[in-house]
């Protein structure tokens, strides 16, 4: 730890030209393995893929974090976290150095206030994510091994220009409020936006999002609930109207309980006018959907490691075309085995199927599916 702290100070000093009095730590995860995926879209030939992959179990990352005690119970801290692909060395997100988190926070008896790029409350990302590994044995998802997000609508990403307030803990409860002035400053570069431009933060020229969350923790029990509303961009950067917009809404509930012999996880979400967290198999469409999803899973200690299982169901109605209504069924199993405190191996298999109420065209099946298997090695430093 001492060596890592000195190294982090040296690295930061190269950027800032000065030394830091705060406690600074470098850390990271490297996850590299092999994966096989077979996709049956319900038309044409199946698509099979076998390759080397990064971040199947835990996204490969590098980070620097630090905290300074200002006295009187007040502290200031930061987190700068970068995602990368360990199989080819590229940035996980083009054009972003700290795509996973770029956060500055201040905390004390009043609670904690954080500002910057950070995870949504309903995600498992960063300092303020309330879901992820807290509501699913597969955390945010093992690559194509279907995790809980496969049966949910939205809320599992990260946002720019975001402020989050977290109350002090009272009788096991915490309340959180989050607001993003502009969810994605790179939106213009996203092919899914068809070139729609946006401008001033906090205005109708951008997508803004607010959320309220609550958690309760006592002994072996953890519960979380989040309500999230997005105000979609309604005018372009010149003030021209983009027409009527459907503002997505999600209500997410989840938690876990450790029984000792097994740890049980539950997650559910109602979503309205959202996309899907994982696109439809047959069309690659995320669309605009109303619906709900539910997943139930467990961790079970076994043979010195941890066995995992999860099942899920989603029912989503497309608001633009009844032909795209879909029910999704998922099943996942996995296993992790520690080689040391910092290194473990993993393997898993998953299957999910989309069942459509109506065919898309003549000759299209009313079902499509994906089966996946992966295995790899994770080292934490």
């Amino acid at each position: 730890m001492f060596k890592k702290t000195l190294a982090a100070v040296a690295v930061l000093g190269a950027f800032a030209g000065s030394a830091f009095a705060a406690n600074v730590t470098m850390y990271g995860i490297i996850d590299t393995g092999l994966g096989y995926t077979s996709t049956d879209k319900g038309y044409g030939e199946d698509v099979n893929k076998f390759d080397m992959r990064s971040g199947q179990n835990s996204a490969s990352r590098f980070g620097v974090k630090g905290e300074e005690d200002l006295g009187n119970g007040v502290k200031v801290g930061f987190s700068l976290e970068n995602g990368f692909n360990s199989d080819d060395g590229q940035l996980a997100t083009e054009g972003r150095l700290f795509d996973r988190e770029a956060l500055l926070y201040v905390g004390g008896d009043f609670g904690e206030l954080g500002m910057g790029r950070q995870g949504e409350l309903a995600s498992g990302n960063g300092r303020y994510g309330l879901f992820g590994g807290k509501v699913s044995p597969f955390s945010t998802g093992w690559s194509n091994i279907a995790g809980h997000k496969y049966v949910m609508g939205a809320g599992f990403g990260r946002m720019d220009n975001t402020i989050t307030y977290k109350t002090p803990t009272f009788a096991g409860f915490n309340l959180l409020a989050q607001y993003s002035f502009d969810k994605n400053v790179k939106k213009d570069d996203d092919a899914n936006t068809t070139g729609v431009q946006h401008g001033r933060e906090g205005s109708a020229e951008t997508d803004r999002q607010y959320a309220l969350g609550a958690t309760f923790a006592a002994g072996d029990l953890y519960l979380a609930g989040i309500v999230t509303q997005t105000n979609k961009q309604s005018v372009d950067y010149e003030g021209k109207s983009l027409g009527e917009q459907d503002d997505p809404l999600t209500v997410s509930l989840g938690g876990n309980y450790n029984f000792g012999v097994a740890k049980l996880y539950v997650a559910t979400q109602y979503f309205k006018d959202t996309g899907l967290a994982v696109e439809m198999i047959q069309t690659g469409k995320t669309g605009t959907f109303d619906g709900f999803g539910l997943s139930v899973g467990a961790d079970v200690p076994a043979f010195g490691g941890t066995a995992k299982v999860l099942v899920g169901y989603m029912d989503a109605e497309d608001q633009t075309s009844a032909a795209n209504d879909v029910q999704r069924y998922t099943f996942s199993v996995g296993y992790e085995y520690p080689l040391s405190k910092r290194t473990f191996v993993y393997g898993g298999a998953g299957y999910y199927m989309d069942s459509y109420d109506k065919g898309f065209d003549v000759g299209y099946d009313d079902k499509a599916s994906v089966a996946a298997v992966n295995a790899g090695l994770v080292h934490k430093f």
Side-chain angles (χ1 to χ4, degrees), residues 320-341:
T320 59
S321 171
N324 292 329
D325 293 352
V326 60
Q327 294 79 46
R328 176 172 291 170
Y329 307 84
T330 72
F331 177 72
S332 314
V333 293
Y335 186 73
E336 294 178 348
Y337 184 83
L339 302 178
S340 71
K341 291 183 178 180

Side-chain angles (χ1 to χ4, degrees), residues 285-301:
K285 173 182 170 64
T286 58
T288 302
F289 291 86
D290 292 354
F292 72 93
L294 172 68
S295 71
V296 179
D299 277 336
V300 181

Side-chain angles (χ1 to χ4, degrees), residues 21-22 41 52 78 114 119 126 144 165 193 201 265 294 327-328 333 335 341-342 345 347 349 356 358 361 371:
K41 291 187 176 183
M52 179 180 291
F78 73 93
N144 288 321
Y165 170 70
T193 65
E201 291 180 22
Y265 300 84
L294 172 68
Q327 294 79 46
R328 176 172 291 170
V333 293
Y335 186 73
K341 291 183 178 180
R342 297 183 178 181
V345 292
Y356 306 102
K358 298 180 180 180
D361 200 352

Side-chain angles (χ1 to χ4, degrees), residues 76-271:
V76 171
F78 73 93
S79 173
L80 301 173
E81 190 170 282
N82 151 263
F84 65 93
N85 299 322
S86 61
D87 56 339
D88 58 22
Q90 297 189 61
L91 292 176
T93 305
E94 183 178 357
R96 291 188 188 271
L97 178 58
F98 299 113
D99 62 323
R100 294 180 60 83
E101 190 164 72
L103 179 69
L104 181 67
Y105 64 87
V106 57
D109 294 338
F110 54 85
E112 184 174 295
L113 186 69
M115 295 176 289
R117 178 170 171 79
Q118 54 192 271
E120 298 181 53
L121 294 186
S123 75
N125 304 324
R127 190 172 182 86
Y128 304 117
L130 304 181
F131 265 34
K134 299 174 182 177
V135 302
S136 168
F138 291 91
S139 188
T140 55
W142 285 18
S143 188
N144 288 321
I145 304 300
H148 72 286
K149 70 179 181 181
Y150 278 69
V151 293
M152 305 293 176
F156 303 100
R158 297 172 173 85
M159 300 186 296
D160 300 330
N161 309 296
T162 301
I163 183 169
T164 300
Y165 170 70
K166 180 180 179 180
T167 68
T169 302
F170 177 75
F173 286 94
N174 285 108
L175 301 178
L176 297 93
Q178 187 176 72
Y179 181 76
S180 173
F181 293 87
D182 182 356
K183 290 182 62 178
N184 183 8
V185 299
K186 289 174 65 62
K187 178 179 177 181
D188 294 342
D189 298 326
D190 186 341
N192 293 328
T193 65
T194 61
V196 174
Q197 292 182 311
H198 68 302
R200 292 178 297 115
E201 291 180 22
S203 74
E205 297 172 3
T206 65
D207 289 345
R208 294 137 291 142
Q209 182 167 298
Y210 55 88
L212 295 174
T215 65
F216 174 76
D220 295 321
L221 176 66
Y222 172 84
L223 299 172
I226 307 105
V227 178
T228 304
Q229 175 83 60
T230 302
N231 289 340
K232 298 287 289 183
Q233 176 187 357
S234 57
V235 300
D236 67 15
Y237 72 110
E238 294 180 333
K240 181 181 178 180
S241 174
L242 299 177
E244 184 177 352
Q245 302 294 309
D246 293 322
D247 291 335
L249 170 72
T250 61
V251 179
S252 308
L253 302 172
N256 69 72
Y257 187 84
N258 192 343
F259 290 92
V261 295
K263 190 173 185 178
L264 178 67
Y265 300 84
V266 177
T268 186
Q269 184 185 78
Y270 164 77
F271 48 90

